[in-house]
Amino acid sequence: VQLQASGGGLVQAGASLRLSCVVSGRTFSDYAVSWFRQAPGKEREFVAGISSSGGSQRFGDFVKGRFTISRDNAKNTVYLQMSSLKTEDTAVYYCATTRRSTGVPSIISYYDDWGQGTQVTVSS
């Protein structure tokens, strides 16, 4: 299985970015997909996730309505639309898949496969 994350970049505070995660090598619609992030010196944390059906979504407390997540099962892709970005959103963003739950777990250990990460840098 391969997960390819893309869409990161350098933006100013208040800007928007859309991250994409393309999953190959498995039946995409069987898996929940989530985004995590890790800033330098900090632990990896849950950002957002979407269930295999797309009917359930979950967000980290810090998101506060700024991000949306969606999936296109025909393209094996999950999108994370990030708006009103803050400097504290600077991190490497990783996508990951799990089949261990019908919902959207936020615990890292539930996820079996990970992408390589894409860097998001928000400047003031």
Side-chain angles (χ1 to χ4, degrees):
V1 59
Q2 286 190 321
L3 286 78
Q4 182 68 45
S6 62
L10 172 62
V11 297
Q12 290 191 324
S16 299
L17 275 177
R18 189 178 78 160
L19 306 184
S20 299
C21 177
V22 180
V23 181
S24 60
R26 60 175 35 156
T27 305
F28 179 68
S29 58
D30 288 345
Y31 293 82
V33 181
S34 290
W35 290 91
F36 292 78
R37 70 184 187 184
Q38 188 165 19
K42 295 187 176 182
E43 293 187 351
R44 192 168 296 192
E45 65 178 344
F46 176 81
V47 178
I50 188 165
S51 63
S52 57
S53 68
S56 178
Q57 301 171 16
R58 188 172 188 173
F59 296 90
D61 291 342
F62 61 86
V63 171
K64 299 186 186 300
R66 299 182 297 130
F67 300 174
T68 60
I69 189 168
S70 60
R71 66 189 294 156
D72 184 340
N73 284 353
K75 296 183 178 180
N76 285 14
T77 303
V78 166
Y79 304 99
L80 180 67
Q81 178 68 49
M82 304 187 295
S83 303
S84 302
L85 283 164
K86 306 175 181 180
T87 55
E88 51 263 45
D89 292 318
T90 295
V92 177
Y93 284 70
Y94 300 89
C95 58
T97 61
T98 182
R99 199 178 178 181
R100 302 191 192 196
S101 172
T102 57
V104 185
S106 62
I107 301 172
I108 291 175
S109 60
Y110 271 68
Y111 290 83
D112 302 303
D113 296 289
W114 294 77
Q116 84 290 358
T118 184
Q119 176 71 47
V120 172
T121 303
V122 184
S123 66
S124 58

